[in-house]
Amino acid sequence: MMDANRIEVIQADITRLQVDAIVNAANRSLLGGGGVDGAIHRAAGPELLEATRKLNGCETGSAKITSGFRLPAKYVIHAVGPIWKGGDRNEPELLKKAYMTSLELAEKNNCKTIAFPNISTGVYGFPKEKAADIAIDTVKKFLEIHHLPEKVFFVCFDNENYKLYRTILNK
Ligand code: AR6
């Protein structure tokens, strides 16, 4: 069984966290945007955009890694979640893949700690409860069979997500 202490729910600004990797809810261009993406680019400084320009974008349901530059986090994992279009366009599977690819990148880069925002639940309109179920289920299953990352933080910004995650995880 996975140790429940390996998952933590917090309400915070993800750009402030001193973890090995923070995950960005990016778009396919990887060139920045609003929401958490905008906050991460502002806090990391212009070097982050220089780095993401070289990555040639990223498919929905996948992720790419860069340094964290001026952030307290060592790395940023830029994950692209799906835009919600009603639920019959493979959105759940694509969201799961965005989490899974991020976890794989964290493991490959020896990250002990990783922090996820609530990918796709802002501008991209993914229903929050469905997204939370997918995020938690994907992380739990990954941790059951991998030593790294040792610890995963679900970083909730809005109260609704914070409550949802605590309820689902019983924390
Ligand atoms: N720290 C943690 N979470 C945050 C922060 C923050 N500083 N700021 C916002 N959130 P969104 P998406 C939460 O819209 O739905 C961008 O323009 C927010 O409350 O940032 O995946 C990209 O460039 C919400 O729960 O991402 C894409 O074009 C969560 O982050 C598009 O938005 C995700 O909301 C991606 O949309």
Side-chain angles (χ1 to χ4, degrees), residues 12-18 22-24 32-50 66-76 78 157:
D13 174 353
I14 204 165
T15 65
R16 315 287 288 218
L17 302 182
Q18 202 164 344
I22 63 169
V23 177
N24 183 14
V36 71
D37 194 4
I40 288 172
H41 274 270
R42 276 194 300 280
E47 298 96 330
L48 181 59
L49 182 58
E50 269 175 55
T66 64
S67 161
F69 299 99
R70 300 179 199 181
L71 288 165
K74 188 168 177 200
Y75 299 109
V76 178
H78 306 264
F157 205 58

Side-chain angles (χ1 to χ4, degrees), residues 34-170:
V36 71
D37 194 4
I40 288 172
H41 274 270
R42 276 194 300 280
E47 298 96 330
L48 181 59
L49 182 58
E50 269 175 55
T52 58
R53 274 190 200 290
K54 294 176 185 144
L55 298 176
N56 289 312
C58 180
E59 278 175 40
T60 302
S62 192
K64 292 188 179 179
I65 193 166
T66 64
S67 161
F69 299 99
R70 300 179 199 181
L71 288 165
K74 188 168 177 200
Y75 299 109
V76 178
I77 294 172
H78 306 264
V80 183
I83 300 171
W84 182 260
K85 290 175 181 160
D88 56 3
R89 308 281 282 272
N90 214 26
E91 297 96 324
E93 186 61 26
L94 290 167
L95 186 63
K96 180 181 165 177
K97 284 179 64 186
Y99 277 92
M100 188 62 86
T101 314
S102 300
L103 290 162
E104 286 165 358
L105 277 174
E107 183 188 38
K108 261 186 213 149
N109 288 276
N110 265 314
C111 295
K112 290 187 176 158
T113 52
I114 183 173
F116 282 99
N118 307 133
I119 301 172
S120 285
T121 69
V123 181
Y124 278 4
F126 205 108
K128 289 179 181 176
E129 187 166 2
K130 272 193 180 64
D133 281 335
I134 291 166
I136 291 166
D137 184 66
T138 305
V139 165
K140 272 190 174 168
K141 285 182 175 149
F142 189 91
L143 295 186
E144 269 166 21
I145 52 173
H146 297 264
H147 285 296
L148 285 177
E150 289 173 358
K151 188 137 192 164
V152 175
F153 294 90
F154 286 115
V155 183
C156 303
F157 205 58
D158 55 279
N159 283 314
E160 196 186 339
N161 268 314
Y162 186 52
K163 272 194 185 167
L164 263 172
Y165 273 78
R166 283 194 313 172
T167 304
I168 299 170
L169 286 163
N170 265 313

